[in-house]
Amino acid sequence: MSQFIVPGSTIGIIGGGQLGRMMALSARQMGYRIAVLEPTHDSPCAQVADVVIEAAYDDLEAAKALVEASDVITYEFENIDEATAQWISEKCEFPQGYDLLKVTQHRLYEKDKISSLGVEVAPYAAIYKEEDVAEAAEKIGFPAVLKTCRGGYDGKGQAVVKNEQELKQAVSQLLKQGELVLEGWVPFQCEISVIVTRSTQGETKTLPVAENIHRNNILHQSIVPARIKQETQDLARSIAMTLADGLELIGTLAVEMFVKDGKIVVNELAPRPHNSGHYSIEACETSQFEQHIRAICGWPLGETTLHSPVVMENVLGEHVDPMLKAVPLMSGVKLHLYGKKEAVEKRKMGHMTALGKTVEEALGKLNALHKN
Ligand code: AMP
């Protein structure tokens, strides 16, 4: 068992984005100090940290500085360099370990692992070279989604293909980024996610199921409770628990899933707090960020009871100006901004959360801002 990290100690966070910032804000409330390793200047997390190490993630000197400053180390994104993560885990308390990162950094390893735990994923086939195309097409059929195994997010490094010709073209483009996976198209009714957290003591808790609406492959809204049957919600939460136990998770895991005819197909995993769990800051007894800090610092996990129906909506670069103009109308809406200076189109700049007696009422509060 990892040790109890006493408040007053320093939590080191690899990655300085909004997830790191919101983790840090929860950790500070609990009395911890924060060190952050992040290459960009004045990052969202650096703005609320005590110690800032501005360097590349794979810079070993910087990793040493982080270890020296920290009593425990966590991360806000999964694409951490293997050598750095291994080195850190030998030198400092790193409760999440490297094994989970290794699995979730690579779509094929991830799908193999999920399947081995008896949980369904879309049919898939590996493509390592152009000659693998025919066999993969034969096995998966069309339409299908071609994805890079490493590094894709928000729909980047992906192509929907309708026939073998389109697949060949997409493969010749994407193979430059390394091995690929071809996935069968899942005609889902909706997309949902469950955030699950497991502590160093092996205690596991899930947050309520979020129904996720995407626009241009970027999360637009999370609606909670998800508008699906209770038994499907229960199934989603039990699948997340199965994965958490099977992966011997410590910390937080986001499980993205498709719902199809009351059945659940797991799409992907993220070993960290997730955009679709932001609603928990206002709507749950314990937020995903506090829960993560509790888990890695050896606290008991908090209750995850949902206090109210809720909708979270992302604020992208192009939404910032209209949203700021709508602030006078936000008496029933909480606006979070991440401190990013440049409001680049599609960049996640913040989010809004609306509570209501029903999800329709919460949606209505957000819609009223758009009519402005
Ligand atoms: P991902 O990066 O894997 O989360 O994919 C981004 C989005 O593409 C998902 O949120 C889905 O809306 C869609 N998508 C990905 N894979 C599939 C699939 N196999 N079938 C249908 N839609 C998919």
Side-chain angles (χ1 to χ4, degrees):
M1 194 197 91
S2 299
Q3 67 200 76
F4 174 56
I5 309 292
V6 187
S9 309
T10 300
I11 300 175
I13 303 178
I14 304 174
Q18 62 266 22
L19 298 174
R21 177 185 177 99
M22 289 184 273
M23 255 184 218
L25 291 172
S26 277
R28 284 199 145 191
Q29 186 176 310
M30 295 161 78
Y32 292 103
R33 295 170 62 80
I34 302 295
V36 61
L37 167 62
E38 160 68 39
T40 57
H41 180 59
D42 194 32
S43 64
C45 186
Q47 292 168 14
V48 299
D50 303 275
V51 178
V52 178
I53 301 158
E54 235 172 74
Y57 300 126
D58 60 358
D59 177 337
L60 217 51
E61 286 305 310
K64 272 186 201 157
L66 186 69
V67 163
E68 268 161 33
S70 307
D71 300 291
V72 61
I73 290 181
T74 184
Y75 48 83
E76 62 132 32
F77 78 121
E78 54 271 40
N79 294 316
I80 299 170
D81 171 71
E82 176 168 355
T84 310
Q86 294 256 341
W87 188 86
I88 285 176
S89 65
E90 282 159 23
K91 304 284 181 231
C92 189
E93 199 72 27
F94 188 56
Q96 291 157 278
Y98 182 65
D99 290 350
L100 178 64
L101 280 173
K102 215 158 128 183
V103 171
T104 53
Q105 278 174 358
H106 196 285
R107 285 190 194 268
L108 273 173
Y109 305 160
E110 184 174 292
K111 287 176 193 300
D112 289 347
K113 183 70 189 179
I114 296 169
S115 311
S116 78
L117 295 170
V119 173
E120 191 174 339
V121 294
Y124 64 99
I127 298 183
Y128 300 103
K129 51 189 185 317
E130 310 230 348
E131 293 73 53
D132 296 335
V133 164
E135 197 183 322
E138 169 78 22
K139 180 174 172 198
I140 304 303
F142 295 99
V145 192
L146 182 69
K147 299 180 180 179
T148 54
C149 285
R150 290 184 189 274
Y153 69 98
D154 288 345
K156 294 192 175 74
Q158 301 197 8
V160 177
V161 288
K162 296 190 200 68
N163 52 51
E164 201 163 325
Q165 189 53 35
E166 284 186 13
L167 175 60
K168 272 189 189 146
Q169 269 176 11
V171 166
S172 71
Q173 293 220 321
L174 288 178
L175 259 184
K176 292 171 206 144
Q177 295 174 45
E179 57 267 46
L180 305 171
V181 60
L182 185 68
E183 268 181 47
W185 179 260
V186 180
F188 57 80
Q189 275 113 28
C190 73
E191 293 188 74
I192 58 169
S193 57
V194 176
I195 313 286
V196 56
T197 307
R198 192 163 166 276
S199 72
T200 48
Q201 280 93 342
E203 188 189 8
T204 310
K205 284 200 194 286
T206 55
L207 282 177
V209 180
E211 173 187 340
N212 298 321
I213 314 286
H214 292 88
R215 280 192 185 166
N216 303 317
N217 276 322
I218 300 174
L219 183 66
H220 170 55
Q221 287 177 333
S222 291
I223 298 172
V224 187
R227 294 167 297 183
I228 56 173
K229 284 192 197 143
Q230 186 59 48
E231 63 196 61
T232 315
Q233 295 186 39
D234 295 344
L235 177 63
R237 289 175 91 159
S238 83
I239 285 175
M241 302 275 272
T242 300
L243 295 176
D245 287 338
L247 288 160
E248 295 177 37
L249 173 73
I250 303 288
T252 301
L253 180 76
V255 186
E256 293 188 62
M257 314 176 199
F258 300 131
V259 179
K260 189 186 132 209
D261 306 327
K263 273 189 6 184
I264 285 177
V265 175
V266 170
N267 176 29
E268 66 174 351
L269 309 178
R272 52 171 169 76
H274 190 260
N275 195 169
S276 65
H278 293 355
Y279 76 86
S280 59
I281 296 174
E282 282 90 2
C284 291
E285 189 165 327
T286 307
S287 79
Q288 62 168 345
F289 299 105
E290 178 185 335
Q291 198 75 302
H292 181 71
I293 298 300
R294 282 174 170 260
I296 60 160
C297 290
W299 293 50
L301 296 183
E303 293 304 326
T304 56
T305 318
L306 184 72
H307 288 316
S308 160
V310 57
V311 179
M312 185 286 318
E313 183 173 306
N314 272 331
V315 175
L316 305 184
E318 61 272 31
H319 305 143
V320 171
D321 282 345
M323 282 310 132
L324 289 178
K325 285 200 187 92
V327 164
L329 304 174
M330 284 188 189
S331 58
V333 172
K334 308 289 180 189
L335 176 63
H336 296 241
L337 289 171
Y338 307 145
K340 297 181 187 178
K341 300 258 163 5
E342 276 183 81
V344 178
E345 198 184 336
K346 297 208 166 87
R347 187 176 193 204
K348 288 177 183 167
M349 302 296 290
H351 71 267
M352 295 182 292
T353 308
L355 305 178
K357 288 191 202 70
T358 59
V359 291
E360 289 73 25
E361 186 183 313
L363 278 165
K365 289 183 184 176
L366 293 170
N367 288 338
L369 301 177
H370 298 301
K371 286 198 190 103
N372 173 43

